[in-house]
Amino acid sequence: MNDPWKGNIMNITRTTSKQKEKLEVFIERSGFFKQPLFEEHPEGYYALDLDGRYVKVNKVCEEYTEYTKEELYQLTFEDLLLDGKEKITSAFKKIVQGDIQKYECTIKTKNHQILELEVTNLPIIVDDEVIGVYGTAKDVTQFNQQQALREENEKLHHSLVEHSPDGIIITQSDVLVYANKEASILLGATSKEAVIGNHIYELFPKERGEMLVKYLENAEKGLPSSLHEEKLIQMDGTKIDVEMKIIPTIFKGEKASYFIIRDITEKKLAHEVMINSEKLSVAGQLAAGIAHEIRNPITAIKGFLQLMEGGNLYKQEYFPVISAEINRIELILSELLALAKPQLNNFKHKNIISILQHIVALTQSQAILHNIRISTEFHIKQGIVFCDENKLKQVFINFIKNAIEAMKDGGTITVKAKQVEEHIVVEVIDEGKGIPKEVLDKIGTPFFTTKENGTGLGVMVSYEIIKHHKGEVKIDSDSRGTSITIKLPTSKR
Ligand SMILES: Nc1ncnc2c1ncn2[C@@H]1O[C@H](COP(=O)(O)OP(=O)(O)O)[C@@H](O)[C@H]1O
Ligand SMILES: [Mg+2]
């Protein structure tokens, strides 16, 4: 194989002895091949004659090929090639014709290692005649491997994103440049292409625009958003509940925002089911109590009836007792009726101040009987709440009733109302005996009462009603009295 007359090159070029001599002289005289720069260059430097045979190589060529210089001078570049001989031979032909050629090739080293080299070859021209070739070779094996790895990673990442169960959208300058399959499903689009090119602001309600600008500005600065709930507008205008996070990213070399969007319609439904089952558990708790509470008076009534029936006894004194028992059943039933879930069509935008004025007037006469005055402190003239008016009235009556019942020695009950940010805050403050800790812990459980004729339903029913109105109840109490705070969201009409 070391016979220059046997290689492929022989068929295309042939170094004449004159050219060979010229090349030797050139190499000998040219400072370039003698400089340390040539020998110590971190890349392979070499010269070939027109047969492709090595006539001068530096150290790195030895390192790359694992042949000594002497061995290399017996070889042509073709001898080292692993494959692609045809392509490279034709490139060599072009160099010999005066061209510069750059290409990658794969070689096999003396110890059968495989190397990928990036090669640049130039003709050596003396007296207008090409007499040889010189060039550089750079080992790009690792780089290529890393590149392959990078490409594989990218592919993997792409397929992860593509098949992610979350919707993924990438935007640049507020325009959708990428959407995965799930995102196009979430948006109710027929294809990903139908989504790309859309403006991101079109996907969310107008009132969220300002927030979105802030999120995108933060993403631009490299700050991810928190996971938060949004309404996503589908292609046909339907709004769906989603959870979303925006992360800064780079897409095709440019800054971009990466949206992770998750459908939470089902989660919301599940949450509602949970709330409903919680209600069921209240109902379950109630059922046993109701049976018990109503059975007692009924047993008493039945007893009297049997007495009268059996003994043919007719006693006038029995009637007030029977009547009282029936009243008790009625009382319990009427409190329980208030518990029925408020019907949404009963919800109206109402001024809570008018409601409170009405309730104070209603309970005032009852209070006076107990030497109690009800005073009002309204810091607002109007506070509109979206509510079931009768249910809210029930709540205030319950709390004022409890206040009256706690103030055996008379005093003042103060009803306050004020606006605190997005909420109306109503307080019912009494000067009663207060609620001991052990009672406070049990307050609101069905049928828990410390009163002889109490039903133990007032606070529980009130809690439920306020919950249906998306409000909150807080009880503060000490020996000087009790204060009930009811917080209700202001209507956004
Ligand atoms: N303002 C208050 N002051 C003192 N105790 C209170 C007050 N409000 C409620 N309580 C306590 O909570 C219990 C439960 O109240 P509630 O549910 O209205 O039932 P009831 O009034 O029928 O007893 C009462 O029995 C009482 O011990
Ligand atoms: Mg009560």
Side-chain angles (χ1 to χ4, degrees), residues 128-240:
D128 289 336
E129 191 193 3
V130 178
I131 55 162
V133 172
Y134 76 102
T136 67
K138 186 171 148 192
D139 181 1
V140 289
T141 317
Q142 249 194 344
F143 177 83
N144 284 354
Q145 276 170 0
Q146 278 167 0
Q147 179 71 18
L149 209 65
R150 268 196 295 275
E151 275 167 18
E152 204 165 284
N153 265 341
E154 218 157 89
K155 247 194 218 159
L156 182 70
H157 183 242
H158 186 259
S159 89
L160 276 180
V161 169
E162 193 56 42
H163 298 107
S164 160
D166 293 328
I168 293 184
I169 283 174
I170 298 176
T171 66
Q172 274 170 335
S173 312
D174 304 339
V175 172
L176 268 74
V177 290
Y178 171 84
N180 72 351
K181 201 167 150 224
E182 184 60 25
S184 61
I185 293 171
L186 278 181
L187 286 166
T190 45
S191 68
K192 286 189 278 180
E193 288 66 32
V195 180
I196 289 166
N198 274 309
H199 212 268
I200 188 72
Y201 293 104
E202 286 164 17
L203 307 188
F204 300 96
K206 269 208 188 73
E207 64 268 20
R208 296 295 298 157
E210 225 171 280
M211 208 57 208
L212 211 55
V213 169
K214 205 177 271 171
Y215 284 136
L216 287 169
E217 275 172 6
N218 280 342
E220 182 86 0
K221 287 182 212 148
L223 299 170
S225 82
S226 58
L227 186 67
H228 62 281
E229 286 189 15
E230 289 284 354
K231 294 241 184 259
L232 184 72
I233 303 176
Q234 297 186 311
M235 292 283 147
D236 66 356
T238 314
K239 285 182 191 164
I240 59 164

Side-chain angles (χ1 to χ4, degrees), residues 3-14:
D3 184 345
W5 304 107
K6 270 193 181 163
N8 286 335
I9 305 297
M10 177 195 113
N11 304 325
I12 45 169
T13 52
R14 179 173 297 178

Side-chain angles (χ1 to χ4, degrees), residues 356-370:
L356 288 173
Q357 276 162 345
H358 185 91
I359 292 302
V360 169
L362 200 77
T363 47
Q364 195 71 263
S365 56
Q366 180 79 11
I368 289 166
L369 286 180
H370 294 88

Side-chain angles (χ1 to χ4, degrees), residues 275-276 279 338-344 347 386-388 391-392 461-472 488-489:
I275 290 175
N276 277 330
K279 261 182 229 144
L339 195 62
K341 191 179 176 198
Q343 295 294 303
L344 205 60
F347 270 69
F386 188 54
C387 65
D388 182 331
K391 296 271 150 98
L392 272 198
V461 165
S462 303
Y463 278 176
E464 286 292 307
I465 293 172
I466 296 300
K467 209 160 86 185
H468 288 315
H469 284 76
K470 298 189 165 52
E472 284 165 31
L488 289 163

